[in-house]
Amino acid sequence: MSEIPILRLRTLNNNAIASQGQYVLYWMTAFRRPAYNFALQRAVEWAEKLQKPLLILEALRSDYPYASDRMHCFILQGMADNAEHFSTTVAHYYPFVETERESGKGLLQKLAETACLVVTDDHPGFFYPQMLQPAAEKISVPLEAVDSNGLLPLRAADHDYPTAYAFRRFLQKELPGHLFNFPLADPLRTVKLPRLETVAAGIKKTWPAAGPELLKAEQKALARLPIDHSVTSTCKRGGFKEAEHYLRRFFEERLPFYPQRSEPDQQVSSELSPYLHFGHISTHQIVQHLFAQENWSIGHLSPETRGKRSGWWGLSDAAESFLDELVTWREVGFNAALFLPDYNQFDSLPGWARESLAKHRDDPRIYIYSLEQLEQAQTHDPLWNAAQNQLLQEGRMQNYLRMLWGKKILEWSPDPETALEMMLVLNDKYALDGRDPNSISGIFWCLGRYDRAWGPERPIFGKTRYMTSENTARKFSVKKYLQQYTNRQGEFSF
Ligand SMILES: Cc1cc2nc3c(=O)[nH]c(=O)nc-3n(C[C@H](O)[C@H](O)[C@H](O)COP(=O)(O)OP(=O)(O)OC[C@H]3O[C@@H](n4cnc5c(N)ncnc54)[C@H](O)[C@@H]3O)c2cc1C
């Protein structure tokens, strides 16, 4: 039946399909979009095969780590887009939002009782892996998990990679076979299915669907939810429609300037990471757009597969460097989440980095800041404070400064383990794209992952790469950035 690569499918229990079931249930958790979504496509295929209606449950818990107005608002806006979109299709969309802690408990189980089978999203990070197996054991129909994370199916690899170079080499050998198999742009467009008009009254009563007011994510509605209200929503709107707007803007206006993306005063990167993180857009859709814009075909690929950073795709330099971030760097993080044991624990750092950081553990520190001081951007370093202010206000941070930000936290912490802890808290609490496999790879990169040993060996940093705000300000233009994100004027001079 399937157009979907077998490597992307996993069945999580041995239950038989309930052919008398009323519908196929798609439990949307990580890929919160109607387009280019292998999991949705798989659920549609099952519904067609069984000639049953398709029910889509998109649920939002209130107890996930760092649940706040900021994250909820972005997700709810995405749910509003989905509600509108699915109302024009044959699928029945059921948005559920916990208004009290754990009020969603039992909903999946109850909906599964009258389903033929359940299809869901297979994501290797955050709380998803811990959520799926218990769910599979609680229901009496099959639970099928589908990987729609990136261009390469996660299980096309069978181990983790110590460097981006090693992963890139693997990608260059493995990826061509997967470039023919993209998910459908709109899996519901032409299907003919019976409709499900409503879900059972008892379910609607116990777990009422989120109404338009809640999905609009207005302040009043957010205030009633049991989440952290101190992390406020940003002006960035969530949802697949806004993601498509960012996608078009990037390709129409920014791509040629992408090689200058390290300049804090120029905003030329795509800003797509929150949309990728919440599943509002997929790598496949972005890449498809790029291929069309650059008139690319498979014949453009270079036969050389030695892991070189540019030249393999046969695209413009700007497009090649964008794809290196979007595919190599993004997907090596997903690969680690699946294959590197304890990938989010300090001990998973490479041996050379752990040894070197341990050797310099007791080096004297000129500055040591508490989590609260860092959180409130109260350090002596104006560029660092500006970057932290951007994170607080906008839920994002310019990419080059994000590296500097992490490196300085290492320098200003009592020890590297505390540095790691503080980076994770600040990033995951405030960044819209936080709590992602790439949060882990970016933060662990600051401590040596995917990097090599550097000389000369320095205090505190040891052999891990050393960065300073002074050098950053010399190398790049930061004036506008400082003006925009500095609270106290006139304090910056190098
Ligand atoms: C300390 C630190 C923390 C980070 N935390 C996160 C995080 O929480 N979530 C997150 O998605 N990324 C994180 N990154 C990686 C990177 O900073 C962001 O992905 C990027 O800045 C997002 O901006 P953009 O969408 O404009 O990227 P673009 O430059 O337009 O790139 C397109 C996409 O490629 C991917 N990408 C780009 N750069 C990287 C990278 N270095 N590593 C992995 N993937 C990349 C992202 O999905 C991004 O959206 C972190 C990096 C560091 C150094």
Side-chain angles (χ1 to χ4, degrees), residues 82-108:
N82 288 345
E84 193 186 327
H85 175 85
F86 288 123
S87 71
T88 65
T89 70
V90 288
H92 186 94
Y93 175 73
Y94 201 80
F96 176 77
V97 178
E98 279 189 345
T99 49
E100 281 166 39
R101 291 235 154 183
E102 304 205 336
S103 59
K105 245 190 176 163
L107 171 58
L108 175 74

Side-chain angles (χ1 to χ4, degrees), residues 92 94 96 107 110-111 197-209:
H92 186 94
Y94 201 80
F96 176 77
L107 171 58
K110 194 73 193 163
L111 285 173
E197 293 309 333
T198 183
V199 300
I203 293 181
K204 285 201 290 193
K205 189 158 177 261
T206 314
W207 298 279

Side-chain angles (χ1 to χ4, degrees), residues 143-163:
L143 178 61
E144 210 178 56
V146 186
D147 161 16
S148 201
N149 295 289
L151 280 199
L152 189 78
L154 285 171
R155 288 172 183 78
D158 58 7
H159 60 85
D160 66 286
Y161 289 81
T163 60

Side-chain angles (χ1 to χ4, degrees), residues 258 269-273 325-326 399 402 427 433 438-439:
Y258 189 72
S269 74
S270 69
E271 299 179 57
L272 281 166
S273 59
E325 301 294 355
L326 179 70
N399 181 47
R402 213 168 186 177
N427 188 76
D433 66 7
N438 285 310
S439 319

Side-chain angles (χ1 to χ4, degrees), residues 236 250 254 258 261 267-277 283 286 321-334 396-407 423 427-428 431-446:
K236 200 164 190 143
F250 177 67
R254 294 186 172 187
Y258 189 72
R261 69 190 174 286
Q267 181 46 267
V268 294
S269 74
S270 69
E271 299 179 57
L272 281 166
S273 59
Y275 301 99
L276 282 159
H277 170 70
T283 314
I286 302 170
S321 60
F322 178 67
L323 285 181
D324 200 48
E325 301 294 355
L326 179 70
V327 184
T328 311
W329 278 99
R330 180 172 179 273
E331 297 193 18
V332 77
F334 278 71
R396 70 189 183 100
M397 191 187 291
Q398 193 269 348
N399 181 47
Y400 190 88
L401 296 180
R402 213 168 186 177
M403 299 189 252
L404 176 71
W405 175 89
K407 290 287 183 184
M423 281 190 258
N427 188 76
D428 288 354
L432 278 167
D433 66 7
R435 308 150 310 279
D436 191 269
N438 285 310
S439 319
I440 304 295
S441 44
I443 287 167
F444 277 68
W445 175 88
C446 296

